[in-house]
Coordinates of all heavy atoms in Angstrom, one line a residue:
M3 N 60.5 177.7 171.2 CA 61.8 177.2 170.9 C 61.8 176.6 169.5 O 60.9 175.9 169.1 CB 62.2 176.1 171.9 CG 63.7 176.0 172.1 SD 64.2 174.7 173.2 CE 64.3 175.6 174.7
T4 N 62.8 176.9 168.7 CA 62.8 176.4 167.3 C 63.2 174.9 167.3 O 63.8 174.4 168.3 CB 63.9 177.2 166.4 OG1 65.1 176.9 167.0 CG2 63.5 178.7 166.5
R5 N 63.0 174.3 166.2 CA 63.4 172.9 166.1 C 64.9 172.7 166.2 O 65.3 171.7 166.9 CB 63.0 172.3 164.7 CG 61.4 172.2 164.6 CD 61.0 171.6 163.4 NE 61.5 170.2 163.4 CZ 61.5 169.4 162.3 NH1 61.2 169.9 161.2 NH2 61.9 168.2 162.4
D6 N 65.7 173.6 165.7 CA 67.2 173.5 165.9 C 67.6 173.7 167.3 O 68.5 173.0 167.8 CB 67.9 174.5 165.0 CG 67.9 174.1 163.5 OD1 67.5 173.0 163.2 OD2 68.3 175.0 162.7
A7 N 66.9 174.5 168.0 CA 67.2 174.7 169.5 C 66.9 173.4 170.2 O 67.6 173.1 171.1 CB 66.4 175.9 170.0
D8 N 65.8 172.8 169.9 CA 65.4 171.5 170.5 C 66.5 170.5 170.2 O 66.9 169.7 171.1 CB 64.1 171.0 170.1 CG 62.9 171.9 170.6 OD1 63.1 172.6 171.6 OD2 61.8 171.8 170.0
L9 N 66.9 170.4 169.0 CA 68.0 169.5 168.6 C 69.3 169.7 169.4 O 69.8 168.8 169.9 CB 68.2 169.6 167.1 CG 69.4 168.8 166.5 CD1 69.0 167.3 166.4 CD2 69.8 169.3 165.1
L10 N 69.7 171.0 169.4 CA 70.9 171.3 170.1 C 70.8 171.0 171.6 O 71.8 170.5 172.2 CB 71.2 172.8 170.0 CG 71.6 173.3 168.6 CD1 71.6 174.8 168.5 CD2 72.8 172.7 168.1
E11 N 69.7 171.2 172.2 CA 69.5 170.9 173.6 C 69.6 169.4 173.9 O 70.2 169.0 174.9 CB 68.1 171.3 174.1 CG 67.8 171.1 175.6 CD 68.6 172.0 176.5 OE1 69.1 173.1 176.0 OE2 68.9 171.6 177.6
G12 N 69.2 168.5 172.9 CA 69.3 167.1 173.1 C 70.7 166.6 173.1 O 71.0 165.5 173.5
F13 N 71.7 167.4 172.6 CA 73.1 166.9 172.5 C 74.0 167.5 173.6 O 75.1 167.1 173.7 CB 73.7 167.3 171.1 CG 73.2 166.3 170.1 CD1 72.1 166.5 169.4 CD2 74.0 165.2 169.8 CE1 71.7 165.6 168.4 CE2 73.6 164.3 168.8 CZ 72.5 164.5 168.1
V14 N 73.4 168.3 174.5 CA 74.2 168.9 175.5 C 74.8 167.9 176.5 O 75.9 167.9 176.9 CB 73.4 170.0 176.3 CG1 74.1 170.5 177.6 CG2 73.1 171.2 175.4
D15 N 73.9 166.9 176.8 CA 74.3 165.8 177.7 C 75.5 165.0 177.1 O 76.2 164.3 177.9 CB 73.2 164.9 178.1 CG 72.1 165.6 179.0 OD1 72.5 166.6 179.6 OD2 71.0 165.1 179.1
L16 N 75.6 165.0 175.8 CA 76.7 164.3 175.1 C 77.9 165.1 174.9 O 78.8 164.8 174.2 CB 76.2 163.7 173.8 CG 75.0 162.7 173.9 CD1 74.4 162.4 172.5 CD2 75.5 161.4 174.6
N17 N 77.9 166.3 175.6 CA 79.1 167.2 175.5 C 79.3 167.7 174.1 O 80.4 168.0 173.7 CB 80.3 166.6 176.1 CG 80.2 166.4 177.5 OD1 79.6 167.2 178.3 ND2 80.7 165.2 177.9
M18 N 78.2 167.8 173.3 CA 78.3 168.4 171.9 C 77.6 169.7 171.9 O 76.4 169.7 171.9 CB 77.8 167.4 170.9 CG 78.6 166.1 170.9 SD 78.0 164.9 169.7 CE 78.7 165.6 168.2
V19 N 78.3 170.8 171.9 CA 77.7 172.1 172.0 C 78.2 172.9 170.8 O 79.4 173.0 170.5 CB 78.1 172.8 173.3 CG1 77.5 174.1 173.4 CG2 77.8 171.9 174.5
G20 N 77.3 173.7 170.2 CA 77.6 174.5 169.1 C 76.3 174.9 168.4 O 75.2 174.4 168.7
N21 N 76.4 175.9 167.5 CA 75.1 176.3 166.8 C 75.4 176.7 165.3 O 74.5 177.3 164.7 CB 74.4 177.3 167.6 CG 75.1 178.6 167.7 OD1 76.2 178.8 167.2 ND2 74.5 179.6 168.4
S22 N 76.5 176.5 164.8 CA 76.8 176.8 163.4 C 76.0 175.9 162.5 O 75.7 174.8 162.8 CB 78.3 176.7 163.1 OG 78.7 175.4 163.0
P23 N 75.6 176.4 161.3 CA 74.8 175.6 160.4 C 75.5 174.2 160.1 O 74.8 173.2 160.1 CB 74.7 176.5 159.1 CG 74.7 177.9 159.7 CD 75.7 177.8 160.8
P24 N 76.8 174.2 159.8 CA 77.4 172.8 159.5 C 77.3 171.9 160.7 O 77.0 170.7 160.6 CB 78.9 173.1 159.2 CG 78.9 174.6 158.8 CD 77.8 175.2 159.6
F25 N 77.4 172.5 162.0 CA 77.3 171.6 163.2 C 75.9 171.1 163.3 O 75.7 169.9 163.6 CB 77.7 172.4 164.4 CG 77.8 171.7 165.7 CD1 78.7 170.7 165.9 CD2 76.8 171.9 166.6 CE1 78.8 170.0 167.1 CE2 76.8 171.2 167.8 CZ 77.8 170.2 168.1
V26 N 74.9 171.9 163.1 CA 73.5 171.5 163.2 C 73.2 170.5 162.2 O 72.5 169.5 162.5 CB 72.6 172.7 163.1 CG1 71.1 172.3 162.9 CG2 72.7 173.7 164.2
H27 N 73.8 170.6 161.0 CA 73.6 169.6 159.9 C 74.2 168.2 160.4 O 73.6 167.2 160.2 CB 74.3 170.1 158.7 CG 74.3 169.1 157.5 ND1 73.1 168.8 156.8 CD2 75.2 168.3 157.0 CE1 73.3 167.9 155.9 NE2 74.6 167.5 156.0
V28 N 75.4 168.2 161.0 CA 76.0 167.0 161.5 C 75.1 166.4 162.6 O 74.9 165.2 162.6 CB 77.4 167.3 162.0 CG1 77.9 166.1 162.8 CG2 78.3 167.6 160.9
L29 N 74.6 167.2 163.5 CA 73.7 166.6 164.6 C 72.5 166.0 164.0 O 72.0 164.9 164.5 CB 73.3 167.8 165.6 CG 74.5 168.4 166.4 CD1 73.9 169.4 167.4 CD2 75.3 167.3 167.1
K30 N 71.9 166.6 163.0 CA 70.7 166.0 162.4 C 71.1 164.7 161.7 O 70.3 163.7 161.8 CB 70.1 167.0 161.3 CG 69.5 168.2 161.9 CD 69.0 169.1 160.8 CE 68.3 170.3 161.4 NZ 67.9 171.3 160.4
R31 N 72.2 164.6 161.1 CA 72.7 163.4 160.5 C 72.9 162.3 161.5 O 72.6 161.2 161.3 CB 73.9 163.7 159.7 CG 74.2 162.6 158.7 CD 75.4 163.0 157.8 NE 74.8 163.4 156.5 CZ 75.5 163.8 155.5 NH1 76.8 163.8 155.6 NH2 74.9 164.1 154.4
I32 N 73.5 162.7 162.7 CA 73.8 161.7 163.8 C 72.5 161.2 164.3 O 72.3 159.9 164.5 CB 74.5 162.4 164.9 CG1 76.0 162.6 164.5 CG2 74.4 161.6 166.2 CD1 76.8 163.5 165.5
K33 N 71.4 162.0 164.5 CA 70.1 161.5 164.9 C 69.5 160.5 163.9 O 69.0 159.5 164.3 CB 69.2 162.6 165.2 CG 69.4 163.3 166.5 CD 68.3 164.3 166.8 CE 67.1 163.5 167.3 NZ 66.2 164.2 168.1
K34 N 69.7 160.8 162.6 CA 69.1 160.0 161.6 C 69.9 158.6 161.5 O 69.3 157.5 161.5 CB 69.3 160.7 160.2 CG 68.6 160.0 159.1 CD 68.6 160.9 157.9 CE 67.8 160.3 156.8 NZ 67.8 161.1 155.6
I35 N 71.2 158.7 161.6 CA 72.0 157.5 161.6 C 71.7 156.6 162.8 O 71.7 155.4 162.7 CB 73.5 157.8 161.5 CG1 73.8 158.4 160.2 CG2 74.4 156.6 161.8 CD1 75.2 159.1 160.1
A36 N 71.5 157.2 164.0 CA 71.3 156.4 165.2 C 70.0 155.6 165.1 O 70.0 154.6 165.8 CB 71.2 157.4 166.4
R37 N 69.1 156.0 164.3 CA 67.9 155.2 164.2 C 68.0 153.9 163.3 O 67.2 153.1 163.3 CB 66.8 156.0 163.6 CG 66.3 157.2 164.5 CD 65.0 157.8 164.0 NE 65.1 158.3 162.6 CZ 65.3 159.6 162.3 NH1 65.4 160.5 163.2 NH2 65.4 160.0 161.0
C38 N 69.2 153.8 162.6 CA 69.4 152.7 161.7 C 70.3 151.6 162.3 O 71.1 152.0 163.2 CB 70.1 153.2 160.4 SG 69.2 154.4 159.5
D39 N 70.1 150.4 161.9 CA 71.0 149.4 162.4 C 72.0 149.1 161.3 O 71.8 148.1 160.6 CB 70.2 148.1 162.8 CG 71.0 147.0 163.4 OD1 72.0 147.4 164.0 OD2 70.7 145.9 163.3
A40 N 73.0 149.9 161.2 CA 74.0 149.8 160.1 C 75.3 150.1 160.6 O 75.5 150.8 161.6 CB 73.6 150.7 158.9
T41 N 76.4 149.6 159.9 CA 77.7 150.0 160.2 C 78.0 151.4 159.6 O 77.5 151.7 158.5 CB 78.7 149.0 159.5 OG1 78.3 147.7 160.0 CG2 80.1 149.3 159.8
V42 N 78.7 152.2 160.4 CA 79.0 153.5 160.0 C 80.6 153.7 160.0 O 81.2 153.3 161.0 CB 78.4 154.5 161.0 CG1 78.7 156.0 160.6 CG2 76.9 154.3 161.1
L43 N 81.1 154.3 159.0 CA 82.5 154.7 159.0 C 82.5 156.2 159.1 O 82.0 157.0 158.3 CB 83.1 154.3 157.6 CG 84.6 154.8 157.4 CD1 85.5 154.2 158.4 CD2 85.0 154.5 156.0
I44 N 83.3 156.7 160.1 CA 83.4 158.1 160.4 C 84.8 158.5 160.0 O 85.8 158.0 160.6 CB 83.1 158.5 161.8 CG1 81.6 158.0 162.1 CG2 83.2 159.9 162.1 CD1 81.2 158.2 163.6
E45 N 85.0 159.4 159.1 CA 86.3 159.9 158.7 C 86.4 161.4 159.0 O 85.4 162.1 159.1 CB 86.5 159.7 157.2 CG 86.5 158.2 156.8 CD 86.7 158.2 155.3 OE1 85.9 158.8 154.5 OE2 87.6 157.4 154.9
G46 N 87.7 161.8 159.2 CA 87.9 163.2 159.4 C 89.3 163.5 159.9 O 90.0 162.6 160.3
E47 N 89.7 164.7 159.9 CA 91.0 165.1 160.4 C 91.1 164.9 161.9 O 90.0 164.8 162.6 CB 91.2 166.6 160.1 CG 91.2 166.9 158.6 CD 92.4 166.2 157.9 OE1 93.5 166.2 158.4 OE2 92.2 165.8 156.7
T48 N 92.3 164.9 162.4 CA 92.5 164.8 163.8 C 91.9 165.9 164.6 O 92.0 167.1 164.1 CB 94.0 164.8 164.1 OG1 94.6 163.7 163.4 CG2 94.3 164.7 165.6
G49 N 91.2 165.6 165.6 CA 90.6 166.7 166.5 C 89.2 167.2 166.0 O 88.7 168.2 166.5
T50 N 88.6 166.5 165.1 CA 87.3 167.0 164.5 C 86.1 166.4 165.3 O 85.0 166.8 165.0 CB 87.2 166.7 163.0 OG1 87.4 165.3 162.8 CG2 88.2 167.5 162.2
G51 N 86.3 165.5 166.2 CA 85.2 165.0 167.0 C 84.6 163.7 166.5 O 83.5 163.4 166.7
K52 N 85.4 162.9 165.8 CA 84.9 161.6 165.2 C 84.5 160.7 166.4 O 83.4 160.1 166.2 CB 86.0 160.9 164.4 CG 86.4 161.7 163.2 CD 87.5 161.0 162.4 CE 88.8 160.9 163.2 NZ 89.5 162.2 163.5
E53 N 85.3 160.6 167.4 CA 84.8 159.7 168.5 C 83.6 160.2 169.2 O 82.7 159.5 169.6 CB 86.0 159.5 169.5 CG 85.6 158.4 170.5 CD 86.8 158.1 171.5 OE1 87.9 158.1 171.1 OE2 86.5 157.7 172.6
M54 N 83.5 161.5 169.4 CA 82.3 162.1 170.0 C 81.1 161.8 169.1 O 80.0 161.5 169.7 CB 82.5 163.6 170.1 CG 83.4 164.0 171.2 SD 83.5 165.8 171.5 CE 82.0 166.0 172.3
A55 N 81.2 161.9 167.8 CA 80.1 161.6 166.9 C 79.7 160.1 167.1 O 78.5 159.7 167.1 CB 80.4 161.9 165.5
A56 N 80.7 159.2 167.1 CA 80.5 157.8 167.3 C 79.8 157.5 168.6 O 78.8 156.7 168.7 CB 81.8 157.0 167.2
R57 N 80.2 158.2 169.7 CA 79.6 158.0 171.0 C 78.1 158.5 170.9 O 77.2 157.8 171.5 CB 80.3 158.7 172.1 CG 81.6 158.0 172.5 CD 82.3 158.8 173.6 NE 83.6 158.2 173.9 CZ 83.8 157.1 174.7 NH1 82.7 156.5 175.2 NH2 85.0 156.7 174.9
A58 N 77.9 159.6 170.3 CA 76.5 160.1 170.2 C 75.6 159.1 169.4 O 74.5 158.9 169.8 CB 76.5 161.5 169.5
I59 N 76.1 158.6 168.3 CA 75.4 157.6 167.5 C 75.1 156.4 168.4 O 73.9 155.9 168.4 CB 76.1 157.2 166.3 CG1 76.2 158.4 165.3 CG2 75.5 156.0 165.6 CD1 77.2 158.2 164.1
H60 N 76.0 155.9 169.1 CA 75.9 154.8 170.0 C 74.8 155.0 171.1 O 73.9 154.3 171.3 CB 77.2 154.4 170.7 CG 77.1 153.2 171.6 ND1 76.9 152.0 171.2 CD2 77.0 153.2 173.0 CE1 76.8 151.2 172.3 NE2 76.9 151.9 173.3
Y61 N 74.9 156.1 171.8 CA 74.1 156.4 172.9 C 72.7 156.8 172.5 O 71.7 156.8 173.3 CB 74.7 157.4 173.9 CG 75.9 156.8 174.6 CD1 77.2 157.3 174.4 CD2 75.7 155.7 175.4 CE1 78.2 156.7 175.1 CE2 76.8 155.1 176.0 CZ 78.1 155.6 175.9 OH 79.1 155.0 176.5
L62 N 72.5 157.2 171.3 CA 71.1 157.6 170.8 C 70.5 156.4 170.1 O 69.3 156.4 169.7 CB 71.2 158.7 169.8 CG 71.6 160.1 170.4 CD1 71.9 161.1 169.3 CD2 70.6 160.6 171.4
S63 N 71.2 155.3 169.9 CA 70.8 154.1 169.2 C 70.2 153.1 170.1 O 70.2 153.2 171.4 CB 71.9 153.5 168.4 OG 72.8 152.7 169.3
G64 N 69.7 152.0 169.5 CA 69.1 150.9 170.3 C 70.2 150.1 171.0 O 69.9 149.2 171.8
R65 N 71.4 150.4 170.8 CA 72.6 149.6 171.4 C 73.1 150.4 172.6 O 74.1 150.0 173.2 CB 73.7 149.5 170.4 CG 73.3 148.7 169.2 CD 74.4 148.5 168.2 NE 73.9 147.8 167.0 CZ 74.7 147.5 166.0 NH1 75.9 147.9 166.0 NH2 74.2 146.8 165.0
R66 N 72.4 151.4 173.0 CA 72.9 152.2 174.2 C 73.1 151.4 175.5 O 73.9 151.8 176.3 CB 72.0 153.4 174.5 CG 70.6 153.0 175.1 CD 69.8 154.2 175.3 NE 68.5 154.4 174.7 CZ 68.1 154.2 173.5 NH1 68.9 153.6 172.6 NH2 66.9 154.4 173.0
D67 N 72.5 150.3 175.6 CA 72.7 149.5 176.8 C 73.8 148.5 176.7 O 74.2 147.8 177.7 CB 71.4 148.7 177.1 CG 70.2 149.5 177.5 OD1 70.4 150.6 178.0 OD2 69.1 149.1 177.1
F68 N 74.5 148.5 175.6 CA 75.7 147.7 175.4 C 76.9 148.6 175.5 O 76.9 149.8 175.3 CB 75.6 147.0 174.1 CG 74.5 146.0 174.0 CD1 73.3 146.4 173.4 CD2 74.6 144.7 174.5 CE1 72.2 145.5 173.3 CE2 73.5 143.8 174.4 CZ 72.3 144.2 173.8
P69 N 78.1 148.0 175.7 CA 79.3 148.8 175.9 C 79.7 149.5 174.5 O 79.5 148.9 173.5 CB 80.4 147.8 176.2 CG 79.8 146.5 176.5 CD 78.4 146.6 176.0
F70 N 80.3 150.6 174.6 CA 80.8 151.4 173.5 C 82.3 151.1 173.6 O 83.0 151.4 174.6 CB 80.5 152.9 173.6 CG 81.2 153.7 172.5 CD1 80.7 153.7 171.2 CD2 82.4 154.3 172.8 CE1 81.3 154.4 170.2 CE2 83.0 155.1 171.8 CZ 82.5 155.1 170.5
I71 N 82.9 150.6 172.5 CA 84.3 150.3 172.5 C 85.0 151.0 171.3 O 84.8 150.6 170.2 CB 84.6 148.8 172.4 CG1 83.9 148.0 173.5 CG2 86.1 148.5 172.3 CD1 83.8 146.6 173.4
P72 N 85.6 152.1 171.6 CA 86.3 152.9 170.5 C 87.5 152.2 170.0 O 88.3 151.6 170.8 CB 86.6 154.2 171.1 CG 86.7 153.9 172.6 CD 85.8 152.8 172.9
V73 N 87.7 152.2 168.7 CA 88.9 151.6 168.1 C 89.6 152.7 167.2 O 88.9 153.1 166.3 CB 88.6 150.4 167.3 CG1 89.8 149.8 166.6 CG2 87.9 149.3 168.1
N74 N 90.8 153.0 167.5 CA 91.6 153.9 166.7 C 92.3 153.1 165.6 O 93.3 152.6 165.8 CB 92.5 154.7 167.5 CG 93.4 155.7 166.7 OD1 93.2 155.8 165.5 ND2 94.2 156.5 167.4
C75 N 91.6 153.0 164.4 CA 92.2 152.2 163.4 C 93.5 152.8 162.8 O 94.3 152.0 162.3 CB 91.2 152.1 162.2 SG 89.7 151.2 162.7
G76 N 93.7 154.1 163.0 CA 95.0 154.7 162.6 C 96.2 154.2 163.4 O 97.3 154.3 162.9
A77 N 95.9 153.7 164.6 CA 97.0 153.2 165.4 C 97.4 151.8 165.2 O 98.3 151.3 165.8 CB 96.6 153.4 166.9
I78 N 96.6 151.1 164.3 CA 96.9 149.7 164.0 C 97.6 149.6 162.7 O 97.1 150.1 161.7 CB 95.6 148.9 164.0 CG1 94.9 149.0 165.3 CG2 95.9 147.4 163.7 CD1 93.5 148.4 165.3
P79 N 98.8 148.9 162.6 CA 99.4 148.8 161.3 C 98.5 148.1 160.3 O 97.7 147.2 160.6 CB 100.6 147.9 161.6 CG 100.8 148.0 163.1 CD 99.5 148.3 163.7
D80 N 98.6 148.5 159.0 CA 97.8 147.9 157.9 C 97.8 146.4 157.9 O 96.7 145.8 157.7 CB 98.2 148.5 156.6 CG 97.9 150.0 156.4 OD1 97.1 150.5 157.2 OD2 98.5 150.6 155.5
N81 N 99.0 145.8 158.1 CA 99.0 144.4 158.0 C 98.4 143.6 159.1 O 98.2 142.4 159.1 CB 100.5 143.9 157.8 CG 101.4 144.3 158.9 OD1 101.1 145.3 159.6 ND2 102.5 143.7 159.0
L82 N 98.1 144.3 160.2 CA 97.4 143.7 161.4 C 96.0 144.1 161.6 O 95.3 143.5 162.4 CB 98.2 144.1 162.7 CG 99.6 143.6 162.8 CD1 100.2 144.1 164.1 CD2 99.6 142.1 162.8
L83 N 95.5 145.0 160.8 CA 94.1 145.6 161.0 C 93.0 144.5 160.9 O 92.2 144.4 161.8 CB 93.8 146.7 160.0 CG 92.5 147.4 160.2 CD1 92.5 148.1 161.5 CD2 92.3 148.4 159.1
E84 N 93.1 143.7 159.9 CA 92.0 142.7 159.7 C 92.1 141.7 160.9 O 91.0 141.3 161.4 CB 92.2 142.0 158.4 CG 91.1 141.0 158.1 CD 91.2 140.4 156.7 OE1 91.9 141.0 155.8 OE2 90.5 139.4 156.4
N85 N 93.3 141.2 161.3 CA 93.4 140.3 162.3 C 92.9 140.8 163.7 O 92.3 140.2 164.5 CB 94.9 139.8 162.5 CG 95.3 138.8 161.4 OD1 94.5 138.2 160.8 ND2 96.6 138.7 161.3
E86 N 93.2 142.1 163.9 CA 92.8 142.8 165.2 C 91.3 142.9 165.3 O 90.7 142.7 166.3 CB 93.5 144.1 165.3 CG 95.0 144.0 165.6 CD 95.4 143.3 166.9 OE1 94.6 143.5 167.9 OE2 96.4 142.6 166.9
L87 N 90.7 143.3 164.2 CA 89.3 143.5 164.2 C 88.4 142.2 164.1 O 87.4 142.1 164.7 CB 88.8 144.5 163.1 CG 89.4 145.9 163.2 CD1 89.0 146.7 162.0 CD2 88.9 146.5 164.5
F88 N 88.9 141.2 163.3 CA 88.1 140.1 163.0 C 88.7 138.7 163.5 O 88.1 137.7 163.4 CB 87.8 140.0 161.5 CG 87.2 141.2 160.9 CD1 87.9 142.1 160.1 CD2 85.9 141.6 161.2 CE1 87.4 143.2 159.6 CE2 85.4 142.7 160.8 CZ 86.1 143.6 159.9
G89 N 89.9 138.8 164.0 CA 90.6 137.6 164.5 C 91.2 136.8 163.3 O 91.2 137.2 162.2
H90 N 91.8 135.7 163.7 CA 92.5 134.9 162.7 C 92.5 133.4 163.2 O 92.4 133.2 164.4 CB 93.9 135.4 162.4 CG 94.8 135.3 163.5 ND1 94.9 136.2 164.5 CD2 95.8 134.4 163.9 CE1 95.8 135.9 165.4 NE2 96.3 134.8 165.0
E91 N 92.7 132.5 162.3 CA 92.9 131.1 162.7 C 94.3 130.7 162.6 O 95.0 131.1 161.7 CB 92.0 130.2 161.7 CG 90.6 130.3 161.9 CD 89.8 129.3 161.0 OE1 90.4 128.2 160.7 OE2 88.7 129.6 160.6
K92 N 94.8 129.9 163.6 CA 96.1 129.5 163.6 C 96.5 128.7 162.4 O 95.7 127.9 161.9 CB 96.4 128.6 164.9 CG 97.8 128.3 165.1 CD 98.0 127.7 166.5 CE 99.5 127.5 166.7 NZ 99.7 127.0 168.1
G93 N 97.6 129.1 161.8 CA 98.1 128.4 160.5 C 97.5 129.0 159.3 O 97.8 128.6 158.2
A94 N 96.6 130.0 159.4 CA 96.0 130.5 158.2 C 97.0 131.5 157.5 O 97.8 132.1 158.1 CB 94.7 131.3 158.5

């Protein structure tokens, strides 16, 4: 089995299936990112699998035992985004 086939097999349980070169490139990047303890911003058009990529990063990372909480930032008005994500103090 080739290295790419091994890589693809590892993502089947995460419902990520495909074998095009761009898809394989993204899977390699997901595996690399999951090993880091860093904040990740995932951008893309509607329907491109951003949440699936985020879930894959989460479940392949050291945080897999903690809850995964997806946040659709596009659904939060700009003037409320900071308060919703980070909270606020009364009177501020």
Side-chain angles (χ1 to χ4, degrees):
M3 208 183 267
T4 67
R5 291 184 67 195
D6 284 351
D8 290 338
L9 174 74
L10 294 171
E11 184 67 29
F13 281 87
V14 170
D15 290 343
L16 297 170
N17 295 320
M18 297 182 78
V19 181
N21 63 1
S22 70
F25 184 72
V26 171
H27 178 73
V28 168
L29 296 184
K30 288 178 181 177
R31 198 171 259 182
I32 286 172
K33 282 191 76 158
K34 189 174 187 177
I35 291 168
R37 292 191 304 256
C38 301
D39 186 29
T41 302
V42 179
L43 174 64
I44 301 173
E45 297 180 307
E47 298 295 322
T48 301
T50 56
K52 296 178 294 295
E53 186 174 329
M54 288 183 75
R57 285 182 187 280
I59 292 168
H60 176 78
Y61 290 117
L62 294 172
S63 77
R65 297 178 182 180
R66 70 179 120 319
D67 295 329
F68 297 95
F70 174 79
I71 302 169
V73 177
N74 180 357
C75 295
I78 303 172
D80 290 343
N81 59 338
L82 295 178
L83 186 63
E84 188 174 344
N85 285 342
E86 290 297 322
L87 294 178
F88 306 109
H90 65 278
E91 289 186 29
K92 191 172 183 173

